Amino acid sequence: MSLALDPAAQDLLFRDAHTANTFTDEPVTEEQVQAIYDLVKFGPTAFNQTPLRVTLVRSPEARERLVRHMAEGNQAKTASAPLVAILAADNEFHEELPTLLPSFPQAKDVFFAERPVRESSATLNAALQAAYFIIGVRAAGLAAGPMTGFDAEGIRKEFLDDDHTPLIVVNIGKPGEGASYPRSPRLAYEQVVTTV
């Protein structure tokens, strides 16, 4: 059975897409980022919660502050990417639920009154949204270089606050020369899917 999505779009989003390690100096515009968000905001989350928060690092001063918190192997590419996004989970996302879930506004207090429950849910659902964000970057014809090699506490203190947990740092731009490594193997369908 074939997919409804055009094969060229399948390639753009998945088969031909690679994590980028180098980028051209072509800028990533605010309009591109807005278009990415306007597409991926429709991805599903539990209770329609929207815990993902995106901090765009554009200024040289902010970039220098961020690079200090990246793992050594991620510093050069983060310093040279046209745009870097810090993707974080907002642990107080529940405050928006009466607006985001008008059919069940009491979910804010029924399910998410306790901070540990919110943190767990925020992490899971913001991670889902981060994946949508990466696919959105690809849909915009750009490459993404997502990284988890960083000092999370340092980034939280430098750019966020106690209510936000950094999850992923993503370098964004047009891929440069030698941007990606050869495709690594993937597990076969039979190794992943079980029918019961």
Side-chain angles (χ1 to χ4, degrees):
M1 176 179 180
S2 62
L3 299 174
L5 188 65
D6 177 85
Q10 296 173 37
D11 290 341
L12 176 70
L13 299 178
F14 294 99
R15 287 189 287 261
D16 293 341
H18 293 264
T19 294
N21 295 294
T22 66
F23 298 89
T24 69
D25 59 2
E26 183 178 331
V28 177
T29 68
E30 192 66 32
E31 292 76 20
Q32 287 173 300
V33 177
Q34 178 76 49
I36 290 165
Y37 178 73
D38 286 342
L39 174 65
V40 304
K41 69 184 178 184
F42 295 108
T45 58
F47 294 96
N48 200 37
Q49 62 183 271
T50 308
L52 182 69
R53 299 296 178 265
V54 181
T55 301
L56 299 177
V57 180
R58 289 194 182 275
S59 73
E61 180 269 334
R63 182 74 59 102
E64 186 176 309
R65 287 167 39 218
L66 175 61
V67 167
R68 287 196 302 260
H69 298 290
M70 300 304 295
E72 186 176 342
N74 293 330
Q75 290 180 349
K77 53 191 170 185
T78 301
S80 63
L83 179 64
V84 183
I86 301 168
L87 306 186
D90 180 358
N91 296 307
E92 297 297 313
F93 70 87
H94 69 306
E95 297 295 344
E96 303 293 340
L97 282 180
T99 300
L100 294 174
L101 195 63
S103 63
F104 187 30
Q106 61 271 34
K108 170 185 182 281
D109 299 313
V110 172
F111 294 107
F112 301 110
E114 297 178 14
R115 175 71 179 231
V117 173
R118 287 199 306 274
E119 288 180 355
S120 176
S121 190
T123 298
L124 173 62
N125 287 279
L128 280 173
Q129 290 187 284
Y132 304 145
F133 183 85
I134 292 166
I135 299 301
V137 168
R138 293 173 174 181
L142 300 169
M147 302 165 291
T148 56
F150 55 81
D151 172 10
E153 185 61 16
I155 286 179
R156 188 190 61 73
K157 287 180 179 176
E158 191 82 43
F159 293 95
L160 306 169
D161 60 32
D162 288 341
D163 290 329
H164 293 80
T165 304
L167 301 175
I168 304 172
V169 175
V170 184
N171 295 327
I172 304 169
K174 291 284 188 181
E177 189 173 332
S180 60
Y181 303 119
R183 173 78 70 202
S184 294
R186 297 296 193 267
L187 293 175
Y189 178 86
E190 297 78 15
Q191 294 174 280
V192 175
V193 178
T194 302
T195 302
V196 294

